[in-house]
Amino acid sequence: MTLDAKIPEGPLAEKWSKHKFNLKLVNPANKRKYTVIVVGTGLAGASAAASLAELGYNVKAFCFQDSPRRAHSIAAQGGINAAKNYQNDGDSIHRLFYDTIKGGDYRAREGNVYRLAEVSVNIIDQCVAQGVPFAREYGGLLDNRSFGGAQVSRTFYARGQTGQQLLLGAYSALNRQIHAGKVTMFSRHEMMDVVTIDGQAKGIVTRNLVTGNIESHAGHAVLLCTGGYGNVFYLSTNAMGCNVTAAWKAHKRGAFFANPCFTQIHPTCIPVTGDHQSKLTLMSESLRNDGRVWVPKTKELAAKLRNGEIKPADLKEEDRDYFLERKYPSFGNLVPRDVASRNAKEMVDEGRGVGTSGIAVFLDFADAIKRLGEETVREKYGNLFDMYQQITDENPYKQPMRIYPAVHYTMGGLWVDYNLMTTVPGLYALGEANFSDHGANRLGASALMQGLADGYFVIPYTLGDYLASIGPKPVDANHPAFKEAEKEVKAHIKQLLSLKGKKTVDQYHRELGHIMWEYCGMARNEDGLIKAKELISALRKDFWKNAFVCGSNEELNQNLEKASRVADFLELGELMVEDALKRKESCGGHFRIESQTDEGEAKRDDDHYTYVAAWEYKGDDKPETLHKEKLVFENVKLTQRSYK
Amino acid sequence: MMRLSILEDMKLTLKVWRQKNANTKGQLVTYKADHVSPDMSFLEMLDVVNEDLIHKGDEPIHFDHDCREGICGACSLHINGRPHGPKQGITTCQLHMRSFNDGDVIVIEPWRAAAFPVIRDLVTDRSAFDRIQHAGGYISVNTGGVPDANCIPISKVVADEALNSATCIGCGACVAACKNASAMLFVSAKVSQMALLPQGQPERYQRVQAMVTQMDQEGFGNCTNTGACEAECPKEISLSNIARMNRDYFAANIFKE
Ligand SMILES: Cc1cc2nc3c(=O)[nH]c(=O)nc-3n(C[C@H](O)[C@H](O)[C@H](O)COP(=O)(O)OP(=O)(O)OC[C@H]3O[C@@H](n4cnc5c(N)ncnc54)[C@H](O)[C@@H]3O)c2cc1C
Ligand code: FES
């Protein structure tokens, strides 16, 4: 099978408008004859479900939380990008496009990224119209802040809770459609499988998490808006429930998985404190606007700090190494995430880390407080500082924060074409669940933008084209394909519940996380990856023999839910490692130790790796097949990324 | 993994509400938690207890949680008689064990309210909150066709005040704290956000009526101005929202006549 990304012909700036014109439309009276299934109601899913329902389609929406308002999107802190150029600082659609392509280390499609930049401006308009209370200046107009990888201020925000406000906006639009009867909402439901008939996606099988009922839902198309898979690392900044199950089941039904090894490790998170740790907490990138990152100049000073002989404030300016400012004078503390993370790791590896564990660097606000006053700093970042103090019991107004990188986001995901359709006709992927726009590294404040772009402004157009082509003939949930899928789901659950070994599901998850972090984390090499493959494969086999799963199916059973998700992570982990192994170049967040510049930066190999790796599932325990989608750059010149 | 904490372990006695499902009776069951680090969050402490229970072949304690950073509103434990525990302005997941002492007895219960029936153990059904939002918690705009964002100037003071209201995480602590199990703080926060903003004006009175009517149908109690909701709200949503909603509600009735 050859991958066709379906990027429209023509000049970059005209592709999307031309494409929109060429897409088939569904006549308004016919829309109500179609049912669309939307799995996931985070930013991508809620915006898609609401917008499609407004157009007249019937929508069935699903989430595993008790309410759509609790999707992981709620936790996004810093902001959302848009090329509004309200600051008159030289921003434009083209600049946002360029920054995103470059930030992604030239491993994303030009056409998709340009469209994203184009619709970014509409997103802000839409959210304001819904009543999202973005930060304002005294004159009453919208305020912006700066994020990494950009030299303009284009990030819109609502204190440190931008994701919450955007999600509540999308949730309100969704609620309006639920009230109108156009969306039927199924909370506390987990999608367990995709159902295809004659090769087309026609519905899903779900488990009601309260009763355990296995149910079929039929529709004309299925949209997976199920978020990222960062929790494969066990410790990450993701919410506890984030998982790969929906995407993975779709993968097993024929949807290719793209660039699975592209993981974002966020530089500013609160360091691990002990083995009880269940998740890591992000300190928003926006803090790097005013916070300065440093470690002591020497190992000796670092050692004294660690054992409490001296305090950070005792260190004179000349004894501090503001390593990002030193190495990257033009971007300074605002270099992209992958660069900032790798540098922090380097400092720690050199023995210059701080905190009792030595696995941390400082993020210092002393200068900002001197310059702006504590009140202004509190106004800008108050809730983040409070969060930090709550967790660490240290006051960041008085002493520098300790931070360290943590897994945060997954650029990889289901392969989709320009229309957001996967390799299974009628099956779409939106938001973090797809791979499309961020290449090998995502810029801060661009995930919210992409989720809402997909849901509000892309899928309402592209889905119509497909629906018009298949026609409104009803789909029957009693079709044998549904019965067959239900049977398989039930068998899978039964098998999980039959596991009565010695180790808990969490133990397996934690072990998998260790393997992934150790060998497929911030730095990767061939030997380590080969080892990781063996370890994961052995761990997976052990899981299916020695794990212990409690309770029964016919009840709320959080242990069973977790077991089912971990089982999928154990399969995904191996594919991530395989993908990392095959890509022998470094690019963005994927750092192959074998491929670096003299200065230790990621070194791409454009001659051999300018492609999207799309993996095809071939059956249990069979190696997956790699398909390559060549990336074509007609508008930007590929250069070694430099933030100096 | 290495033990990074330099602090001593604490020993605690937990009395936890266990209830198989909505149709069975529940009871408090006592557990020992012997290896509690002060650095753990409250939910991490429960994770450790649950791992022990599973090892012993017992059913783990069920509780709602997701983000574990105080924003999703999923966690909802009544700890020693107070929603989200002893500290002000935080959720259960933000509570750390250093707020307790070695040897403490901790009673953990679900939210108690007729409108929030127990599903299992500490998990309750809070879908009533969603249904109130369905009734009117929105501004009726479709996707597309809206004006440029800066065409609607809003003073910083008003925008900040609207955000203060919009900060509500929908956890239900206000209901759990109230002796009447009233949902006024929750509903008024949404009503206020929209009533403060120019975008919310066209549907202002209709919205408050629709939401209050739904609230009453869900079986929440009346507000008798005791202020427990504000005191226990993890996001410190102000009682002034209730006053604002009451004003709008009365105004709505007058306009109707
Ligand atoms: C702490 C943190 C801070 C962040 N800050 C920012 C920021 O400032 N700016 C920015 O741009 N990005 C930020 N991000 C990234 C951004 O928040 C996410 O990438 C984005 O919100 C993902 O949205 P989504 O709609 O794709 O998925 P999600 O919001 O994760 O939603 C997934 C949905 O799918 C459902 N689901 C999943 N699996 C199943 C299943 N099997 N069955 C049924 N339902 C299922 C869930 O219930 C949920 O409704 C941040 C991320 C984190 C972790
Ligand atoms: S788990 Fe999200 S607020 Fe506590």
Side-chain angles (χ1 to χ4, degrees):
Chain A
M1 157 166 198
T2 46
L3 288 169
D4 180 3
K6 304 212 174 95
I7 310 283
E9 295 293 321
L12 194 55
E14 289 166 26
K15 285 183 195 290
W16 178 230
S17 16
K18 264 176 61 187
H19 188 64
K20 280 197 285 188
F21 182 75
N22 289 330
L23 290 169
K24 283 194 274 295
L25 297 172
V26 178
N27 126 8
N30 272 344
K31 288 204 176 85
R32 72 178 108 90
K33 297 182 189 153
Y34 289 95
T35 298
V36 181
I37 288 179
V38 179
V39 188
T41 45
L43 283 181
S47 59
S51 303
L52 292 169
E54 286 161 11
L55 287 173
Y57 298 110
N58 302 304
V59 176
K60 285 175 129 183
F62 299 80
C63 72
F64 66 76
Q65 289 92 346
D66 67 329
S67 162
R69 69 178 294 151
R70 305 203 206 285
H72 168 59
S73 294
I74 201 97
Q77 301 171 350
I80 175 167
N81 288 330
K84 281 286 199 186
N85 194 27
Y86 282 162
Q87 303 303 323
N88 197 29
D89 57 359
D91 201 7
S92 62
I93 288 170
H94 200 86
R95 189 176 295 282
L96 175 53
F97 153 75
Y98 178 76
D99 287 347
T100 309
I101 283 274
K102 176 184 170 196
D105 219 358
Y106 307 96
R107 290 295 174 263
R109 292 180 193 141
E110 281 189 342
N112 281 60
V113 175
Y114 195 89
R115 174 177 65 190
L116 175 65
E118 217 176 326
V119 302
S120 70
V121 296
N122 306 113
I123 296 172
I124 303 303
D125 300 341
Q126 189 63 37
C127 296
V128 166
Q130 290 168 345
V132 170
F134 282 120
R136 304 244 161 200
E137 291 171 348
Y138 282 99
L141 302 184
L142 291 160
D143 191 19
N144 291 116
R145 53 169 54 148
S146 308
F147 257 57
Q151 287 173 311
V152 294
S153 260
R154 62 160 76 98
T155 306
F156 295 78
Y157 67 101
R159 281 182 208 141
Q161 54 206 76
T162 315
Q164 180 198 27
Q165 294 309 313
L166 296 175
L167 182 61
L168 292 181
Y171 166 73
S172 73
L174 179 68
N175 286 336
R176 177 169 163 246
Q177 295 307 314
I178 294 173
H179 190 62
K182 291 304 290 179
V183 175
T184 314
M185 184 69 220
F186 297 83
S187 297
R188 290 201 200 269
H189 275 67
E190 180 134 333
M191 186 200 107
M192 302 298 290
D193 210 350
V194 176
V195 178
T196 59
I197 300 177
D198 301 329
Q200 295 176 333
K202 292 294 181 196
I204 59 172
V205 174
T206 58
R207 176 168 180 269
N208 178 326
L209 299 181
V210 177
T211 63
N213 277 355
I214 305 299
E215 299 153 0
S216 285
H217 300 274
H220 294 84
V222 176
L223 277 45
L224 300 185
C225 315
T226 47
Y229 51 86
N231 277 350
V232 67
F233 288 85
Y234 187 70
L235 287 182
S236 84
T237 62
N238 288 9
M240 301 296 285
C242 291
N243 68 88
V244 76
T245 291
W248 194 253
K249 300 296 192 211
H251 179 51
K252 288 181 143 182
R253 294 277 178 196
F256 290 8
F257 211 108
N259 299 334
C261 82
F262 286 176
T263 312
Q264 177 159 81
I265 316 260
H266 196 294
T268 55
C269 304
I270 301 180
V272 175
T273 57
D275 47 12
H276 55 261
Q277 192 102 23
S278 59
K279 72 156 291 183
L280 294 167
T281 303
L282 175 76
M283 288 285 102
S284 164
E285 176 154 317
S286 59
L287 293 171
R288 284 197 276 145
N289 269 297
D290 289 302
R292 299 178 70 194
V293 178
W294 65 277
V295 289
K297 266 233 172 85
T298 65
K299 279 202 304 210
E300 293 69 33
L301 284 170
K304 281 191 182 164
L305 263 177
R306 286 199 293 270
N307 58 32
E309 275 175 58
I310 51 172
K311 299 226 145 42
D314 299 336
L315 283 182
K316 294 197 278 299
E317 273 308 294
E318 59 266 29
D319 290 332
R320 301 171 174 209
D321 179 10
Y322 295 92
F323 53 92
L324 294 178
E325 297 172 29
R326 169 171 60 81
K327 291 172 74 174
Y328 310 96
S330 60
F331 280 71
N333 291 298
L334 283 174
V335 290
R337 294 174 172 176
D338 53 336
V339 179
S341 290
R342 265 198 302 281
N343 276 281
K345 177 177 180 330
E346 211 173 281
M347 297 303 131
V348 166
D349 290 348
E350 279 176 23
R352 294 200 277 147
V354 299
T356 32
S357 67
I359 308 178
V361 301
F362 286 132
L363 179 63
D364 199 335
F365 292 88
D367 282 354
I369 291 172
K370 230 180 275 159
R371 181 164 40 92
L372 306 165
E374 189 167 320
E375 225 11 74
T376 308
V377 171
R378 190 181 307 277
E379 190 160 299
K380 276 174 130 171
Y381 309 115
N383 68 331
L384 298 171
F385 277 43
D386 291 348
M387 206 190 258
Y388 181 84
Q389 181 156 14
Q390 195 56 52
I391 292 172
T392 62
D393 209 21
E394 289 171 7
N395 180 350
Y397 293 100
K398 300 275 177 268
Q399 64 188 94
M401 286 183 178
R402 288 171 297 108
I403 51 153
Y404 199 62
V407 172
H408 179 60
Y409 181 87
T410 47
M411 281 76 70
L414 292 175
W415 184 91
V416 290
D417 64 15
Y418 191 71
N419 297 320
L420 305 181
M421 184 141 78
T422 68
T423 46
V424 176
L427 181 66
Y428 292 77
L430 284 64
E432 194 173 337
N434 73 26
F435 87 105
S436 70
D437 296 352
H438 308 293
N441 173 58
R442 173 175 71 78
L443 291 182
S446 286
L448 302 182
M449 168 173 74
Q450 183 227 329
L452 291 180
D454 289 357
Y456 284 135
F457 296 111
V458 178
I459 201 71
Y461 291 93
T462 59
L463 184 64
D465 187 61
Y466 170 76
L467 294 177
S469 77
I470 61 164
K473 207 172 108 224
V475 191
D476 183 5
N478 288 315
H479 187 283
F482 281 96
K483 296 297 143 208
E484 188 52 37
E486 282 185 23
K487 224 167 81 192
E488 284 176 31
V489 168
K490 285 178 186 158
H492 177 68
I493 290 173
K494 203 166 152 205
Q495 199 187 352
L496 284 168
L497 286 169
S498 73
L499 295 175
K500 295 291 171 225
K502 291 244 163 335
K503 269 164 73 175
T504 64
V505 169
D506 251 26
Q507 284 176 302
Y508 283 98
H509 192 187
R510 209 177 276 135
E511 271 177 52
L512 174 66
H514 279 165
I515 301 171
M516 297 303 294
W517 180 247
E518 188 64 29
Y519 302 107
C520 199
M522 266 192 285
R524 306 153 174 193
N525 68 19
E526 180 147 335
D527 291 348
L529 290 165
I530 290 171
K531 182 158 176 212
K533 259 186 79 164
E534 290 162 8
L535 290 172
I536 296 169
S537 165
L539 188 67
R540 189 174 60 242
K541 292 200 182 90
D542 194 63
F543 173 90
W544 285 105
K545 275 216 301 272
N546 292 322
F548 185 90
V549 182
C550 321
S552 68
N553 177 58
E554 288 71 30
E555 59 183 351
L556 178 67
N557 185 342
Q558 294 175 330
N559 194 239
L560 172 63
E561 292 166 27
K562 180 86 201 252
S564 164
R565 292 170 189 168
V566 169
D568 291 332
F569 279 140
L570 282 162
E571 295 181 7
L572 165 80
E574 204 172 324
L575 183 66
M576 289 171 72
V577 168
E578 182 65 27
D579 186 44
L581 203 50
K582 278 276 156 32
R583 193 176 282 275
K584 292 191 194 320
E585 65 163 353
S586 294
C587 57
H590 171 62
F591 190 71
R592 280 290 297 259
I593 293 168
E594 301 94 329
S595 177
Q596 43 184 311
T597 64
D598 295 340
E599 290 147 323
E601 305 290 343
K603 189 164 139 212
R604 290 196 323 270
D605 174 357
D606 293 331
D607 291 343
H608 299 101
Y609 295 99
T610 311
Y611 63 74
V612 174
W615 295 89
E616 181 184 8
Y617 185 78
K618 286 296 199 184
D620 288 342
D621 293 320
K622 295 215 184 79
E624 300 214 0
T625 305
L626 172 62
H627 299 262
K628 298 175 183 176
E629 178 204 331
K630 182 127 197 57
L631 290 167
V632 183
F633 293 92
E634 292 166 336
N635 301 277
V636 297
K637 225 177 88 225
L638 274 63
T639 53
Q640 173 66 37
R641 255 182 346 161
S642 167
Y643 292 94
K644 300 212 177 281
Chain B
M1 198 213 249
M2 74 184 138
R3 189 74 208 221
L4 300 171
S5 170
I6 43 167
L7 299 160
E8 293 290 308
D9 278 357
M10 318 183 337
K11 290 192 194 334
L12 303 169
T13 304
L14 309 179
K15 296 187 177 232
V16 184
W17 186 260
R18 301 302 307 258
Q19 183 173 340
K20 187 89 185 122
N21 55 45
N23 306 321
T24 52
K25 266 179 68 179
Q27 58 176 12
L28 285 173
V29 177
T30 304
Y31 301 98
K32 291 268 175 243
D34 283 344
H35 301 287
V36 178
S37 150
D39 280 340
M40 285 179 182
S41 72
F42 197 83
L43 298 185
E44 286 170 345
M45 183 274 292
L46 286 180
D47 290 343
V48 173
V49 170
N50 273 345
E51 285 287 286
D52 274 357
L53 288 177
I54 297 172
H55 276 300
K56 283 191 218 136
D58 282 344
E59 295 271 326
I61 302 160
H62 281 65
F63 57 91
D64 262 327
H65 67 108
D66 201 17
C67 74
R68 295 208 174 184
E69 47 190 64
I71 193 75
C72 75
C75 65
S76 40
L77 302 185
H78 212 257
I79 301 167
N80 287 342
R82 293 184 62 183
H84 296 304
K87 295 196 77 171
Q88 211 79 31
I90 57 168
T91 54
T92 304
C93 60
Q94 293 176 296
L95 179 63
H96 278 70
M97 297 317 292
R98 66 179 82 93
S99 302
F100 296 88
N101 297 313
D102 192 23
D104 275 1
V105 177
I106 305 177
V107 182
I108 310 170
E109 293 171 277
W111 283 175
R112 303 281 187 197
F116 292 160
V118 171
I119 294 176
R120 179 168 190 180
D121 296 341
L122 305 167
V123 177
T124 59
D125 178 354
R126 289 170 284 179
S127 54
F129 269 12
D130 283 322
R131 289 188 293 274
I132 296 172
Q133 301 287 353
H134 300 166
Y138 43 78
I139 288 165
S140 298
V141 287
N142 284 351
T143 303
V146 299
D148 183 88
N150 262 349
C151 287
I152 318 172
I154 302 172
S155 93
K156 184 172 178 340
V157 179
V158 170
D160 285 349
E161 190 59 22
L163 179 53
N164 288 342
S165 303
T167 295
C168 167
I169 57 174
C171 65
C174 46
V175 175
C178 176
K179 65 177 164 57
N180 311 317
S182 160
M184 286 289 272
L185 194 65
F186 168 77
V187 180
S188 68
K190 193 71 197 172
V191 166
S192 287
Q193 175 198 347
M194 303 280 184
L196 281 159
L197 295 170
Q199 303 92 304
Q201 298 313 310
E203 297 163 289
R204 179 168 177 174
Y205 298 107
Q206 210 174 307
R207 174 181 309 112
V208 66
Q209 283 188 316
M211 291 181 79
V212 169
T213 304
Q214 187 65 36
M215 173 179 81
D216 291 341
Q217 280 172 17
E218 295 290 347
F220 291 103
N222 291 324
C223 173
T224 50
N225 284 315
T226 54
C229 52
E230 181 190 57
E232 298 294 356
C233 172
K235 296 290 142 182
E236 304 181 311
I237 302 285
S238 153
L239 275 182
S240 61
N241 287 294
I242 297 185
R244 195 180 288 119
M245 178 165 89
N246 281 335
R247 274 199 306 277
D248 273 19
Y249 188 70
F250 291 124
N253 284 330
I254 293 165
F255 289 161
K256 214 167 55 181
E257 279 154 16

